[in-house]
Amino acid sequence: MKKIPNTFGIDVTAARLLEYSSEDELRELIAAGHVIAPWLHIGGGSNLLFIKDYEGTVLHSCIGGLEVTSEDEECVSVRVGAGVIWDDFVAYCVERHWYGVENLSLIPGEVGASAVQNIGAYGVEVKDLITSVETINIAGEKRIYGVDECGYSYRKSLFKQPEMKTVFVTYVNFCLSKREHYTLDYGTIREELEKYPVLNLETLRRVIIDIRQIKLPDPKVLGNAGSFFMNPIVPRQQFESLQQEYPDMPHYDVDAGWVKVPAAWMIDRCNWKGKALGPAAVHDRQALVLVNLGGATGADIVALSDAVRASVREKFGIDIYPEVCLI
């Protein structure tokens, strides 16, 4: 039995843990019959909650490398291995003054998982930077999915569908801008930028990292998977009704008929911030984050999640759902 890496710090094992560093190595593992069902393909384990030991094969990509595939005055296209640490990729782009990913600084995990999860933060989603996703399936066949085929929406993608468990992401292709532009109108970004004399990519990355470090615990110190819940998108009529009762309810317009409501605000109003249920707790600085205080099991985290969700449903009539994948 092999221990499964996960940022929640849950002590879980897999019957088999297989790592590969190239598409050819993955094909060899498949051809040799080593990928035995059931199987699970993971990145850094930063968006997973294991409820129990995994009685199957866990696959982990160690495919590295970053290659510039095309470049002109406007943009640069890069092909990045699925096993590259996401924040290393962001730092690489910022150093070269490639614009687009800086607001996604310090998000844990790896590049392959970013394309599966459609990670997002501070007004930016990775789907708007991806051009295609390269994959190998369980038969060893390669297929490249154009971004329009990936079914991207808020924290969703084609690759999260059950029928896609036989498809493994190997490379992700991005298009980044060489023209100066920033996304600043989200959260406290503009306020924090006032502390710096100049706006550039390095400054914005520093600000994003500072904001995240103030709000979010380090998984190496306090086990967590970042934001545990997705922000719900509700009908405008329902939001306007709630707004009459809660005039200070923050929101983000999605379109004419739908509104996104911050789950953290509702959890906080239910007085969960900083509260524990056994060895699991809601973080005291960011209500979206559930943490392992030490020795928590996956079941402990789920019990806390269920209690938080029930409180939000009772108070606001809104269902919130985990962003984290429960295994």
Side-chain angles (χ1 to χ4, degrees):
M1 303 293 282
K2 302 289 187 178
K3 284 201 171 185
I4 305 173
N6 67 98
T7 59
F8 252 119
I10 304 294
D11 188 12
V12 284
T13 60
R16 290 163 298 281
L17 177 61
L18 305 177
E19 293 186 315
Y20 59 92
S21 299
S22 68
E23 290 178 327
D24 285 343
E25 282 188 21
L26 175 57
R27 286 193 180 97
E28 289 169 7
L29 288 172
I30 293 169
H34 294 312
V35 184
I36 302 169
W39 59 75
L40 176 68
H41 195 274
I42 68 170
S46 59
N47 199 51
L48 302 173
L49 175 60
F50 287 89
I51 312 303
K52 59 181 182 179
D53 290 337
Y54 191 74
E55 298 176 0
T57 305
V58 170
L59 282 163
H60 177 231
S61 171
C62 296
I63 296 177
L66 185 151
E67 172 192 6
V68 174
T69 55
S70 68
E71 187 173 4
D72 58 27
E73 292 182 358
E74 296 288 332
C75 65
V76 56
S77 296
V78 292
R79 180 180 187 243
V80 189
V84 171
I85 301 299
W86 172 259
D87 196 55
D88 290 349
F89 171 52
V90 176
Y92 188 94
C93 294
V94 168
E95 288 171 6
R96 283 152 185 79
H97 300 105
W98 299 342
Y99 295 80
V101 294
E102 57 280 352
N103 284 38
L104 306 179
S105 291
L106 210 63
I107 291 179
E110 298 172 358
V111 166
S114 78
V116 173
Q117 182 68 8
N118 184 24
I119 60 171
Y122 303 106
V124 175
E125 285 187 314
V126 76
K127 70 177 177 61
D128 297 320
L129 305 166
I130 289 173
T131 56
S132 65
V133 179
E134 300 181 31
T135 68
I136 299 287
N137 68 16
I138 193 61
E141 300 163 339
K142 177 157 186 163
R143 178 174 171 182
I144 300 176
Y145 291 82
V147 67
D148 293 340
E149 299 176 277
C150 294
Y152 284 128
S153 60
Y154 175 61
R155 300 299 180 272
K156 293 182 180 177
S157 77
L158 172 71
F159 307 109
K160 295 183 75 173
Q161 300 302 314
E163 64 271 20
M164 296 296 284
K165 302 254 322 161
T166 59
V167 174
F168 314 125
V169 174
T170 54
Y171 288 91
V172 184
N173 292 279
F174 300 87
C175 183
L176 303 164
S177 176
K178 294 170 72 174
R179 298 291 186 184
E180 185 175 16
H181 73 278
Y182 307 98
T183 301
L184 306 177
D185 295 317
Y186 203 98
T188 59
I189 293 177
R190 286 192 181 275
E191 179 184 338
E192 294 297 319
L193 281 170
E194 292 176 2
K195 301 174 183 177
Y196 295 85
V198 63
L199 170 60
N200 54 36
L201 279 179
E202 290 81 2
T203 300
L204 182 52
R205 172 167 161 78
R206 182 70 261 165
V207 162
I208 296 294
I209 289 173
D210 287 345
I211 292 172
R212 289 185 67 89
Q213 288 181 329
I214 289 170
K215 288 186 174 183
L216 302 174
D218 183 346
K220 296 174 184 175
V221 178
L222 201 59
N224 73 92
S227 297
F228 192 90
F229 300 103
M230 293 186 286
N231 292 318
I233 297 173
V234 302
R236 184 170 294 277
Q237 185 177 0
Q238 181 182 9
F239 165 72
E240 290 174 349
S241 176
L242 284 166
Q243 197 176 35
Q244 292 178 10
E245 187 174 355
Y246 306 99
D248 62 335
M249 177 180 269
H251 67 283
Y252 303 94
D253 293 330
V254 176
D255 56 35
W258 298 88
V259 177
K260 183 186 292 185
V261 180
W265 184 88
M266 293 189 289
I267 295 168
D268 194 10
R269 292 307 181 277
C270 291
N271 298 313
W272 272 105
K273 187 186 283 186
K275 286 191 175 179
L277 199 62
V282 177
H283 188 48
D284 58 4
R285 287 180 293 186
Q286 172 51 270
L288 271 186
V289 178
L290 305 188
V291 299
N292 178 359
L293 296 176
T297 64
D300 292 327
I301 305 293
V302 170
L304 174 62
S305 168
D306 288 346
V308 170
R309 294 177 65 196
S311 295
V312 171
R313 187 183 307 113
E314 181 180 357
K315 188 175 184 69
F316 297 102
I318 293 176
D319 285 311
I320 59 173
Y321 296 97
E323 176 179 329
V324 172
C325 300
L326 309 183
I327 308 297

